[in-house]
Amino acid sequence: MHKTHTTKTPSSLSSRRVRTLAVVAAVGLFGGGALAQPAWAAVPEGPTEHTTLGLTGEQVMAHLAELAEISESYSAEGYRIWNGPGYEASATYVEEALEATGAFTVERQVFTVDDVVEGPVTLTVGEAVYTGGHMINAEGTATPVVGAPLAIPAAEEGGRLGCDPASFAAIPAGSIVIVQRGVCAFGEKVANATAVDASAVFIANNVPGLIENGTVGDRDESAAPAGSLTPEDGQTLIDLVGAAQEAEEPVPTADAVIEKEFVEVPTFNVIAESVAGDPEDVVVIGAHLDGVDAGPGVNDNASGSAALLALADQVAAYEFPNDRKIRLAFWGAEEIGLLGSTHYVTDLAANDPAALERISSYLNYDMIGSDNYTVGVYDADQSTFEAPVTVPEGSIELEAIFTDYFDGVEQPWVDSEFSGRSDYQAFIEAGIPAGGLFSGADTIKTEEEAAIFGGTAGEPLDSNYHRPTDTLENVNRESVDAFAPAIGWAAHVLAWDLVDAQPPVSPEPEPTDPAVPSPEPEPTGPGAEPTTEPVETVTPAPAAGSGRGDLATTGGSSVAPFALAAGVLLLGGVAVSALAASRHRRIRSES
């Protein structure tokens, strides 16, 4: 769980975001419900109602299949792990797809990740060699420790735990200390051993095997090197030292090796920005591109990345250019701590705060094809889940964009906790309104959710989460089909302004040929005066065998005017389309 941070939004940013989101809040579900335009309506300057941009699950799946194939092809090298060749190949595909739209500029934002290169962990006592494991953030031995005395802390309730600093009082400096797991944190045990100048400390597990993913907390370069042992090996060494102490004999000596190197490894985000749009008002839409090394990561999160690529295609194909900048972010190193998105926000805050202020909203898409899915919307209004983070002003309006859309198309949805446990965390900590969608990970599906969405109650929403089975075949197409148009809708609501439907414009009257005089009005009867009032005429029925049947006499005089109107409408439609296309190209070229 992430800590809650409250960040005050600058007043200039706040006012702009309030204006933008006030417009969003005022928009009805279908964006003003523009009526069909008359035949002679003027060319609109922009959209008169909001749209999904035509974004479909099929379009998302096309990109997802490509990313899945790339990821599977690097199975022996960690699939799409943040620093592996699969991630590089996936990023190249993303960049090429975005550049092919012609509507986005694309760049990589390089940053470094603190990483660890780990080697062997061994403890040698006489002829016996004990193989150990690494502890997260623990120091390694810069050079092997040779001939150091073995030591154990005084017994506490529960064993040789090393939780009480006083239990190390009799341990000589330079010793290799053996302690047992339990009661207190690993970091406390290492800190107590460090306080007596131990040359190394080994923590024996209390369940079978070596300690997995055990951390000593934040890295402390002055701390004693630390590793882990199995319960059996740890107990053997504790008994060996205890027996020597009881017999008042010299304790055994040992050699220790904990090979570990802390390094900085470069990686990157892929950032694409629309050519069109106001650079002073930016909508950021993001999904993480990296995956875990345990599986292909097709749902987590090639699915969200594929949705962004499909969205870029539809933005490029849309007849009107967006009014606000759309920035698509494909985050790196999310799986090891949200590092890509965090770097992006902190870098702007430190080096270009004005650019950070120009971001009016952030939308996040992390997994949209879970096999046992729900249609989850981040619960910014906390109607179901109390948020463990501060929810920035404007986030509730972003939630409503999705929920109003789903309600309008009769798509059931549920709240998903607004927890900050995905790439929107850094944005909300900076006070930027955020929202997004989530089809579920390892949360268990309820009976109620199964009744609404189908699937299996009592099972995880994504049974393939962080597993080798997170493949294209296990992506739920119904889920993708439900999420895709909502993603297009939200982008349109945030990045396009609506215009009023243009009033009809009467056509110019046909000119009269001056060489042909207008006929004088005829009297309507014997002795009657001429009149200029219009006289109804009747179009004669066509001759038999014309093929028109009863249609020729139905409506009488209306047939010829309708034919003329149809021709005019056809010509007018061609002209309107040409003008709109010309304007669209002009605006894109000027942007």
Side-chain angles (χ1 to χ4, degrees), residues 12-323:
S12 60
L13 173 61
S14 176
S15 61
R16 184 181 68 255
R17 288 176 181 153
V18 167
R19 288 197 302 273
T20 299
L21 293 169
V23 171
V24 168
V27 172
L29 175 59
F30 290 103
L35 301 175
Q37 296 186 23
W40 296 101
V43 178
E45 293 295 321
T48 57
E49 59 183 359
H50 284 305
T51 171
T52 64
L53 292 169
L55 186 58
T56 67
E58 183 178 3
Q59 295 158 354
V60 175
M61 292 299 294
H63 284 294
L64 187 56
E66 297 289 340
L67 289 172
E69 183 177 355
I70 292 170
S71 191
E72 291 277 14
S73 68
Y74 289 94
S75 59
E77 296 152 291
Y79 297 100
R80 276 195 337 278
I81 190 171
W82 64 273
N83 60 344
Y87 180 75
E88 169 67 35
S90 298
T92 299
Y93 171 77
V94 165
E95 291 163 336
E96 291 175 350
L98 290 166
E99 288 167 351
T101 68
F104 289 85
T105 59
V106 187
E107 66 176 3
R108 290 188 179 189
Q109 182 190 37
V110 177
F111 60 97
T112 58
V113 173
D114 292 332
D115 197 20
V116 179
V117 178
E118 295 177 339
V121 177
T122 60
L123 182 60
T124 304
V125 183
E127 298 297 321
V129 178
Y130 301 92
T131 300
H134 285 279
M135 302 291 294
I136 296 173
N137 285 342
E139 295 300 301
T141 52
T143 57
V145 177
V146 178
L150 284 176
I152 54 176
E156 303 173 49
E157 185 176 353
R160 306 283 181 165
L161 300 175
C163 293
D164 183 355
S167 67
F168 288 79
I171 293 178
S175 298
I176 299 173
V177 181
I178 312 298
V179 299
Q180 292 176 306
R181 181 179 187 177
V183 180
C184 63
F186 298 131
E188 292 183 53
K189 300 173 190 288
V190 174
N192 290 336
T194 301
V196 296
D197 293 326
S199 58
V201 54
F202 285 82
I203 304 172
N205 206 356
N206 55 8
V207 294
L210 296 168
I211 297 172
E212 294 184 5
N213 298 318
T215 179
V216 298
D218 294 335
R219 185 188 178 195
D220 179 2
E221 296 184 52
S222 65
S228 72
L229 295 171
T230 65
E232 299 80 10
D233 290 347
Q235 190 62 56
T236 296
L237 293 170
I238 288 172
D239 292 343
L240 189 64
V241 174
Q245 290 176 339
E246 187 174 343
E248 298 184 351
E249 296 177 352
V251 295
T253 59
D255 301 337
V257 174
I258 303 174
E259 283 191 11
K260 177 180 288 187
E261 182 182 6
F262 290 88
V263 295
E264 288 188 346
V265 179
T267 188
F268 57 90
N269 300 317
V270 177
I271 308 294
E273 184 157 298
S274 64
V275 175
D278 180 3
E280 295 300 312
D281 196 348
V282 181
V283 177
V284 180
I285 307 173
H288 74 87
L289 182 60
D290 69 312
V292 296
D293 60 1
V298 177
N299 185 40
D300 181 20
N301 182 40
S303 65
S305 298
L308 263 60
L309 291 177
L311 175 62
D313 292 336
Q314 297 311 107
V315 169
Y318 189 53
E319 61 180 319
F320 299 113
N322 40 292
D323 295 292

